[in-house]
Amino acid sequence: PTKSAINKSQSNPSFATLPAAALPKAKNTTGGLTVFKNMTISASEKVPNTSPVKKTAIKEDPSILAAVENMLLLDSYSKRIQIEQHLIVLRDSKTSPKDRLTNAEILAKVVKAVGICSGEGDMIVEVISSESLENQLQSVREGVILLAKALMKSVGRILEPFLLPLLPQLLIMHADRSQTVRDGAAAIGADLMQQVNPYSFRTMIFP
């Protein structure tokens, strides 16, 4: 034996006297890890999977993004005219369901871009009112509920002060004859319950 081995055995007697049979023997190699006999690995000691999780990106409609970008380039007066035109189409009975949803998403993205307290943002949000939700025209109710749903998706909790007072109307709209209105009211109610401020409990229970 070499001098280094002799010195090591003298400084650590257990190393020198340890029989070869007591050492773990390699059994096989799987996935780059050597598995030994008489050795077990508990579930808590297993190496966690650190591979990156693939996230599915939500694809935005290019036509909606282009419409929003073009509207934001306008001056304040022209921007208000464009918003008014979108609101008219949103509540028009001749508008197809697809176009009504598209207009709602455009208006919601405009509110997110300019701010809910801006003149344009207030112009859009004030459409969501108890009078609109109780309107006799089905197209108006569908347009308003789609706008509220799109705004909840776009700006989230910021819309709480505007929607919370309308909770009784939203509950009544669960019995609306339009499926679009019923589904929209259910979705808005579920989102509102998840994002509502805990101090709003008294307003929610005793509106």
Coordinates of all heavy atoms in Angstrom, one line a residue, residues 6 46 56 66 69 89 116 139 150 204-206:
I6 N -1.6 4.2 4.1 CA -1.2 3.8 5.5 C -1.5 4.9 6.5 O -2.0 4.6 7.5 CB 0.3 3.4 5.5 CG1 0.6 2.2 4.6 CG2 0.8 3.2 6.9 CD1 2.0 1.8 4.4
K46 N -36.7 11.4 -2.7 CA -36.5 11.3 -4.2 C -36.3 12.7 -4.8 O -36.8 13.7 -4.3 CB -37.8 10.7 -4.8 CG -38.0 9.3 -4.4 CD -39.2 8.7 -5.1 CE -39.4 7.2 -4.7 NZ -40.6 6.6 -5.4
T56 N -49.7 27.4 -21.3 CA -50.4 27.7 -22.6 C -50.7 29.1 -22.7 O -51.5 29.6 -21.9 CB -51.6 26.8 -22.7 OG1 -51.3 25.4 -22.5 CG2 -52.3 27.0 -24.0
A66 N -55.9 45.2 -32.9 CA -55.8 46.3 -33.9 C -56.8 47.4 -33.6 O -56.5 48.6 -33.7 CB -55.9 45.8 -35.3
E69 N -55.8 49.4 -30.5 CA -54.6 50.3 -30.8 C -55.0 51.5 -31.7 O -54.5 52.6 -31.4 CB -53.5 49.5 -31.5 CG -52.9 48.4 -30.6 CD -51.9 47.6 -31.4 OE1 -51.7 47.8 -32.6 OE2 -51.2 46.7 -30.7
V89 N -73.5 49.5 -31.3 CA -73.5 48.1 -31.9 C -73.7 47.1 -30.8 O -74.3 46.0 -31.0 CB -72.2 47.9 -32.6 CG1 -72.1 46.5 -33.2 CG2 -72.1 48.9 -33.8
I116 N -60.1 53.2 -15.6 CA -61.5 53.2 -15.3 C -62.0 54.5 -14.8 O -63.2 54.8 -14.9 CB -61.8 52.1 -14.2 CG1 -63.3 51.7 -14.3 CG2 -61.4 52.5 -12.8 CD1 -63.7 50.5 -13.5
S139 N -81.5 42.3 -26.4 CA -80.2 42.7 -26.9 C -79.4 43.6 -26.0 O -78.2 43.5 -25.9 CB -80.4 43.3 -28.3 OG -81.2 44.5 -28.2
A150 N -66.7 41.0 -19.7 CA -65.4 41.3 -20.3 C -64.6 42.2 -19.4 O -63.3 42.1 -19.3 CB -65.6 41.9 -21.7
M204 N -73.4 42.6 0.8 CA -73.8 41.4 0.0 C -74.9 40.7 0.6 O -75.9 40.3 -0.1 CB -72.6 40.5 -0.1 CG -71.4 41.0 -1.0 SD -70.0 40.0 -0.7 CE -70.6 38.4 -1.2
I205 N -75.0 40.6 1.9 CA -76.0 39.8 2.6 C -77.3 40.7 2.8 O -78.4 40.2 2.6 CB -75.5 39.3 4.0 CG1 -74.3 38.4 3.7 CG2 -76.6 38.5 4.6 CD1 -74.5 37.2 2.8
F206 N -77.1 42.0 3.1 CA -78.2 42.9 3.3 C -78.2 44.0 2.3 O -77.8 45.2 2.6 CB -78.2 43.4 4.7 CG -78.1 42.3 5.7 CD1 -76.9 42.1 6.4 CD2 -79.2 41.6 6.0 CE1 -76.8 41.1 7.4 CE2 -79.1 40.6 7.0 CZ -77.9 40.4 7.7

